[in-house]
Amino acid sequence: MDGNGRWASKRGLPRSAGHRAGAEAVRRTLRAAVEEGVEVLTLYAFSSENWRRSEEEVSDLKGLLLYYVERELDTIASEGVKLRLIGDPAAFGPNLATKLETAVERTKDNDNLTLVVALNYGSRAELVEVARRLAEKAAKGELRAEQIDERLIDEEMHTAGLPPLDLLIRTSGEVRLSNFLLWQAAYSELLFVETLWPDFDGSDFRQALAEFARRQRRFGGR
Ligand code: FPP
């Protein structure tokens, strides 16, 4: 969800206004995804690198997330959306982390769309964590090195149990993965669009799905 800052500065507004407009885009995109029967929608809301932003901006983003869970939880729950988190939301402090966990718990039996929110997430940190966990199991004699395969690694990732990542969309014209789902994106279709995130809407999302439907996926075959 890139481009909130640029959207705001083009309008002479503070960055926080861009993030607020970005939260509206989240609402629109989630609605479109539910309507289109998408199984899983993952949003990169806060990267482990985002702590480098000013204290004010980090605090604005935390406030916005809190506001969003508080205001949207009833809607999300009634639409049958299941919330799941990846990354390390505990770093946001007990207030926000507890609210998020409560939201996860409350929606855990929903089976419409799974909304995965990546919070304080970094793909390399996730891989390091997996490597450490497997090494510990090996050290305790619970695992032999030759038992480590792609399936086992999949099962240790934060995304364990989710279907393969089909389509990865980055907004705002940047053409990078920026430490997002590197392992999971091995065979994903990548789509880079010029639209700034706060301008992204249901029609952009539907266009992205149409583009995905036109791609020929070969998974390394012919
Ligand atoms: C990137 O734009 C966006 C973010 C770092 C924050 C994304 C968060 C939201 C949209 C808040 C709401 C999220 C949820 C799940 C309710 P940028 O600030 O890097 O933009 P720039 O590259 O133009 O500066």
Side-chain angles (χ1 to χ4, degrees):
M1 302 188 285
D2 202 6
N4 295 351
R6 277 162 284 166
W7 184 92
S9 73
K10 267 175 46 180
R11 288 166 177 74
L13 296 169
R15 295 179 63 82
S16 57
H19 296 315
R20 269 203 306 280
E24 290 302 321
V26 168
R27 214 167 274 137
R28 295 192 294 268
T29 306
L30 177 60
R31 163 108 341 110
V34 169
E35 284 167 8
E36 293 302 319
V38 166
E39 203 181 332
V40 180
L41 176 71
T42 305
L43 300 173
Y44 204 0
F46 196 95
S47 81
S48 40
E49 286 75 35
N50 284 153
W51 296 108
R52 292 191 207 128
R53 300 197 173 190
S54 73
E55 219 172 286
E56 188 192 352
E57 186 170 353
V58 170
S59 146
D60 280 340
L61 277 168
K62 283 203 302 201
L64 195 58
L65 282 163
L66 192 60
Y67 179 76
Y68 192 91
V69 263
E70 284 177 338
R71 243 196 63 173
E72 295 293 309
L73 182 57
D74 285 342
T75 316
I76 286 176
S78 69
E79 284 178 344
V81 171
K82 182 200 296 214
L83 180 69
R84 182 162 161 177
L85 308 172
I86 59 171
D88 181 16
F92 289 116
N95 187 24
L96 180 52
T98 310
K99 289 237 162 62
L100 288 165
E101 279 312 326
T102 309
V104 168
E105 184 55 31
R106 181 167 156 204
T107 59
K108 72 176 188 325
D109 295 324
N110 286 350
D111 58 3
N112 203 357
L113 171 146
T114 301
L115 173 65
V116 184
V117 184
L119 287 170
N120 188 23
Y121 173 83
S123 193
R124 287 181 164 193
E126 180 186 28
L127 283 161
V128 168
E129 208 183 292
V130 171
R132 283 197 186 142
R133 235 184 346 258
L134 294 178
E136 277 163 15
K137 283 188 187 170
K140 284 193 221 147
E142 294 167 7
L143 181 71
R144 290 191 318 277
E146 61 273 21
Q147 287 176 298
I148 299 175
D149 57 10
E150 293 184 11
R151 193 188 52 84
L152 190 64
I153 293 179
D154 263 333
E155 285 171 3
E156 292 290 333
M157 303 297 275
H158 295 186
T159 49
L162 294 173
L165 176 61
D166 285 323
L167 172 65
L168 191 150
I169 308 169
R170 183 172 187 156
T171 55
S172 90
E174 303 294 345
V175 189
R176 290 188 292 279
L177 291 182
S178 299
N179 206 14
F180 188 53
L181 300 176
L182 301 180
W183 166 271
Q184 296 86 341
Y187 287 105
S188 304
E189 293 297 326
L190 308 181
L191 183 63
F192 298 96
V193 297
E194 294 294 325
T195 315
L196 300 176
W197 177 252
D199 291 327
F200 199 84
D201 62 14
S203 116
D204 293 298
F205 187 70
R206 288 186 176 88
Q207 271 179 44
L209 294 185
E211 166 66 22
F212 172 75
R214 283 193 291 272
R215 303 259 180 109
Q216 283 199 7
R217 309 186 74 198
R218 287 189 289 273
F219 301 98
R222 280 183 50 99

